[in-house]
């Protein structure tokens, strides 16, 4: 495959009484779960924070609005629709079905095709496993807590097993600004040497060895989140192999975990340990050309991993953001009896959303459900952020379009400021170019505006 698959860019209270005004006094300090439940509204189940949303959050760590809404588990898609600014992106039902069909093919025959691709792309780890030799543990368990505990036990067993193990849709956790996020990779493959590889299964095609670079980059950022979470889990398993969630499982599973831990303690293990078990190169599996046959390529996510770790470390803790929100603020839609139709006035919702600071950038349009609402507010305020982060960085202390225009035409700003000086120079060059063009048009050297030489005016 060509370089497009080796992309390495850097790297969401149903009461009759009216809601309290978001401009009221700040809410008192209390337990974080209670704060987040108040923000969601009574009866509203929290939306899980998945890797796609987490990657988008890490790409814009300065946005407190998204951090709080995601931390509280607010349904941002429903909130955007209630505000009259629905998201302009999403996955179609056809793409969803096609993705499920392709993933089922990858998982067929106990993951034999996936193991073949892993051996082919990462080098053979010993002889090819015979049919039935690949361990595919059942990770089903009641609730996220049970599935997370079951994943931990299966992964600990795979580390000690010495053979191939495939974990399909395991569940792991990652702490994000003080709030736990539950993540579900497509698959994790444990090699015979005790190392493991994150597998991303995507339905976009690889045509003639080339894939869409933007989609490959998005998959790499998403996989970096899984790698980060799995490294923490691998360190925990090697440090405390017999603890961490067994109490939520049957006694037989607990006994199995303890037996595996004792086996590991007495075995001489020369393989990787802790975070080093999780490889920084993931396997991206996609349909080949226009068929449904899987093909795969390794993708190095070290750069995305470093960026994601740094950006998540920068996130303000959720309790700090929630404590600064005015008391009485809630994002409750007050759904009708059909559990779909919001009854709360859009003006109240807008006031609640605007009570939390946002950091809008044009890139949000492809990643955040509230991007259209934030863009409208940014344009109303004349904020230069609407023009992009690069422009915002170049303009320094000039934060509005009006102040930029005033600085360019000499009505405002310090001439010693490099940004002001550059704007005035650009305005002078523009005026000179327009004057020259006007003189040339008057002499017939250039067509007048709206006209071509010898032709009637363009319409």
């Amino acid at each position: 495959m060509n370089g497009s698959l080796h992309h390495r860019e850097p790297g969401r209270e149903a009461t009759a009484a009216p809601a309290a005004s978001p401009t009221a006094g700040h809410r008192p300090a209390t337990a974080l779960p209670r704060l987040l439940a108040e923000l969601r509204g009574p009866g509203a189940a929290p939306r899980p924070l998945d890797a796609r949303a987490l990657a988008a959050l890490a790409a814009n760590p300065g946005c407190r609005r998204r951090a709080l809404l995601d931390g509280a588990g607010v349904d941002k898609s429903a909130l955007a629709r209630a505000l009259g600014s629905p998201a302009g992106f999403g996955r179609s039902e056809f793409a969803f079905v096609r993705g499920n069909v392709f993933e089922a093919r990858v998982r067929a025959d106990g993951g034999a095709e996936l193991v073949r691709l892993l051996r082919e792309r990462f080098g053979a780890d010993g002889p090819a496993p015979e049919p039935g030799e690949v361990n595919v543990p059942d990770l089903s368990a009641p609730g996220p807590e049970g599935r997370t505990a079951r994943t931990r036990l299966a992964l600990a067993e795979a580390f000690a097993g010495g053979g191939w193990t495939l974990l399909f849709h395991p569940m792991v956790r990652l702490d994000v600004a003080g709030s736990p996020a539950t993540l579900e990779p497509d698959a994790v493959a444990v090699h015979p040497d005790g190392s493991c590889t994150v597998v991303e299964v995507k339905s976009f095609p690889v045509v003639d060895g080339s894939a869409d670079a933007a989609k490959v980059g998005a998959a790499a950022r998403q996989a970096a989140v899984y790698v980060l979470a799995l490294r923490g889990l691998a360190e925990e398993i090697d440090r405390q192999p017999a603890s961490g969630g067994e109490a939520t499982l049957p006694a037989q599973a607990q006994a199995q975990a303890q037996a595996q831990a004792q086996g590991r303690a007495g075995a001489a293990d020369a393989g990787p340990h802790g975070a080093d078990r999780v490889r920084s190169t993931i396997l991206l599996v996609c349909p080949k050309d226009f068929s449904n046959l899987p093909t795969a390529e390794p993708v190095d996510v070290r750069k995305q991993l470093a960026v994601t770790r740094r950006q998540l470390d920068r996130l303000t803790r959720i309790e700090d953001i929630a404590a600064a929100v005015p008391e009485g603020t809630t994002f409750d839609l007050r759904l009708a009896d059909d559990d779909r139709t919001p009854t709360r006035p859009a003006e109240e919702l807008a006031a609640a959303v605007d009570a939390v600071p946002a950091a809008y950038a044009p890139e949000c349009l492809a990643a955040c459900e509230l991007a259209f609402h934030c863009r409208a507010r940014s344009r109303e305020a004349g904020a230069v952020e609407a023009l992009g982060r690069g422009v915002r960085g170049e303009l320094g202390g000039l934060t509005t379009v009006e102040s930029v225009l005033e600085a360019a035409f000499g009505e405002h700003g310090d001439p010693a400021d490099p940004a002001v000086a550059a704007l005035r120079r650009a305005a002078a060059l523009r005026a000179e170019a327009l004057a020259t063009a006007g003189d040339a048009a008057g002499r017939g050297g250039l067509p007048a505006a709206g006209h071509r030489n010898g032709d009637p005016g363009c319409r």
Side-chain angles (χ1 to χ4, degrees), residues 121-447:
R121 297 295 187 254
F122 290 100
D125 291 334
E130 296 293 331
E133 285 187 352
V134 177
N135 183 29
V136 185
D138 180 12
L139 302 181
S140 59
E145 291 286 346
R147 290 186 59 195
T148 302
R150 179 70 71 179
T151 297
R152 188 189 189 284
L153 289 177
L155 194 60
E157 180 181 353
F159 286 161
W164 282 98
T165 298
L166 297 179
L167 307 180
F168 289 110
H169 290 282
M171 187 161 284
V172 293
R173 288 195 170 185
L174 181 66
D175 183 82
V176 181
S179 180
T182 303
L183 309 174
E184 186 177 348
D186 292 328
V188 173
V190 181
H191 299 245
D193 65 350
S195 65
C196 60
T197 299
V198 172
V199 179
E200 272 292 283
V201 182
K202 297 297 183 183
S203 60
F204 58 81
V206 175
V207 181
D208 292 333
S210 177
D212 187 306
K215 293 181 179 179
V216 174
R221 290 189 295 272
Q222 184 175 342
V225 177
Y226 297 138
V227 172
L228 191 61
L230 280 166
R231 285 186 170 178
L233 179 58
E235 286 184 342
E236 179 188 336
I237 289 174
D238 281 342
R239 184 173 61 251
Q240 297 175 329
S243 65
E246 290 86 343
T248 63
L249 298 176
Q252 182 180 1
Q254 296 182 39
Q256 181 184 16
Q258 294 172 358
Q260 292 294 337
Q262 293 171 1
R264 282 196 304 276
D269 187 2
H273 292 273
D276 293 336
R277 289 186 181 274
V278 186
R279 303 187 181 199
S280 59
T281 300
I282 63 109
L283 188 71
L284 180 61
V285 182
C286 301
K288 183 178 181 180
D289 297 326
F290 298 102
S291 69
N292 207 30
L293 298 175
T295 186
E297 189 72 13
V299 179
D300 190 338
V301 298
R302 282 178 295 180
K303 186 171 292 186
Q304 290 87 350
L305 185 61
V307 171
T308 299
R309 184 186 292 111
R310 182 171 65 251
Q311 298 292 62
L312 291 179
D313 289 342
R314 289 177 54 196
L315 283 173
T316 305
R317 296 188 66 82
I318 299 298
E319 55 262 40
D320 296 335
I321 303 176
V325 174
E327 186 176 0
T329 299
T330 177
F331 307 110
D332 184 18
L333 302 180
R334 296 180 192 158
L335 297 179
D337 293 339
D338 60 1
D339 289 331
R340 296 177 56 185
T341 306
T343 64
R344 190 176 178 193
E347 294 77 10
E348 285 188 16
L349 282 174
V353 170
D354 295 340
V356 187
Y360 171 77
E363 294 86 347
C364 297
L365 295 172
C368 183
E369 294 84 345
L370 287 175
F372 285 99
H373 173 81
C374 296
R375 182 179 67 173
R377 288 292 191 263
S378 182
R379 287 177 172 177
E380 289 173 5
V384 295
E385 284 84 352
L387 303 177
R389 292 193 180 101
V391 175
R392 175 67 187 89
E394 293 290 339
L395 292 175
L398 303 174
T399 59
T400 65
V401 174
E402 184 64 27
S403 65
V404 170
L405 294 176
E406 290 177 352
F409 291 105
E411 302 171 3
H412 176 73
D414 182 2
D417 187 336
V420 174
L423 287 168
R424 291 182 181 177
R425 176 61 177 162
L429 291 174
R430 176 181 180 274
E432 181 181 341
L434 291 176
T436 302
D439 291 343
R443 295 193 302 268
L446 290 174

Side-chain angles (χ1 to χ4, degrees), residues 90-104:
R91 193 177 185 186
S92 68
E93 187 65 25
F94 172 75
F96 185 76
V97 173
R98 182 181 60 185
N100 285 342
V101 171
F102 177 67
E103 185 174 341

